[in-house]
């Protein structure tokens, strides 16, 4: 889950993973992947050629720590709509 990635990110940093969540744009216009309840979210950066998909998705991604902003980022290699 997104909340598990956020709390235990050191275990997953640099790993390619699949995670299910809700993809949406935040108030600043940035794409984020959130838990279904909206309690936790992580910034989402799309690889070239990956189209944004809003709603419930499975993201094939790599979790990285952006050292410039000191924040967690999911680099998405693909987004697959669910439902």
């Amino acid at each position: 889950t997104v909340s598990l990635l956020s709390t235990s990110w050191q275990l997953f940093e640099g790993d390619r993973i699949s995670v299910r969540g809700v993809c949406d744009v935040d108030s600043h216009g940035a794409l984020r992947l959130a838990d279904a309840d909206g309690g936790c979210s992580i910034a989402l950066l799309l690889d070239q050629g990956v189209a944004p998909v809003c709603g419930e998705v499975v993201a094939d991604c790599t979790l990285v720590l952006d050292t410039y902003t000191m924040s967690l980022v999911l680099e998405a290699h693909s987004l697959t709509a669910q439902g």
Side-chain angles (χ1 to χ4, degrees):
T1 66
V2 175
S3 61
L4 177 65
L5 289 175
S6 294
T7 57
S8 303
W9 65 269
Q10 300 95 334
L11 299 174
F12 302 101
E13 183 182 11
D15 292 345
R16 189 164 180 162
I17 54 175
S18 291
V19 62
R20 180 181 221 130
V22 178
C23 188
D24 205 356
V25 177
D26 69 12
S27 61
H28 301 287
L31 202 57
R32 299 189 69 82
L33 187 68
D35 276 339
D37 65 5
C40 186
S41 69
I42 301 175
L44 194 61
L45 296 177
L46 304 180
D47 279 353
Q48 188 172 4
V50 176
V53 177
C54 287
E56 192 172 338
V57 299
V58 171
D60 173 32
C61 51
T62 303
L63 182 68
V64 297
L65 177 64
D66 181 340
T67 56
Y68 181 73
T69 62
M70 294 306 291
S71 61
L72 294 174
V73 177
L74 290 169
E75 293 180 345
H77 312 297
S78 71
L79 292 176
T80 305
Q82 301 295 296

